[in-house]
Amino acid sequence: MLLAAYVRRVAEAAGGPLVLACQGGEPTLAGLSFYRRAVAIACKVASGRELRLSLPTNGLLLADDWCGFLAEHRVLVGLSLDGPSSAHHAFRRR
């Protein structure tokens, strides 16, 4: 499986804790079942090493099942909050 191979490669390259951070668009669109598989693989590959997980999101899909999963695995969650475009774009790239 591609996901397992990727996590193993990251683990081999990491000298300390195994750090996995999901990025790109809205990561929660991959679905909770994807993240359940990914974290299960990461836990197995980490085999006793510290595992650090992070997920940036706009928070729109974070229902109780997501929140329970994120809390159980101590995932660092970054929430992005966008306002009206005039305010949102005024501070970009500064």
Side-chain angles (χ1 to χ4, degrees):
M1 164 191 278
L2 181 60
L3 179 59
Y6 176 77
V7 172
R8 277 193 298 278
R9 284 210 147 172
V10 170
E12 290 168 2
L18 175 54
V19 179
L20 297 174
C22 299
Q23 298 288 323
E26 175 52 44
T28 58
L29 289 175
L32 184 53
S33 62
F34 169 82
Y35 285 97
R36 288 184 202 275
R37 286 193 319 272
V39 169
I41 291 167
C43 289
K44 183 177 178 182
V45 169
S47 62
R49 289 170 54 188
E50 181 183 1
L51 179 60
R52 296 181 189 167
L53 306 168
S54 68
L55 179 78
T57 178
N58 61 22
L60 293 177
L61 298 178
L62 296 184
D64 288 346
D65 54 350
W66 266 103
C67 293
F69 171 80
L70 296 170
E72 176 185 350
H73 296 285
R74 301 176 52 98
V75 177
L76 174 65
V77 177
L79 287 175
S80 63
L81 301 174
D82 294 342
S85 60
S86 59
H88 176 71
H89 296 300
F91 297 103
R92 286 185 157 208
R93 295 178 180 76
R94 290 189 186 177

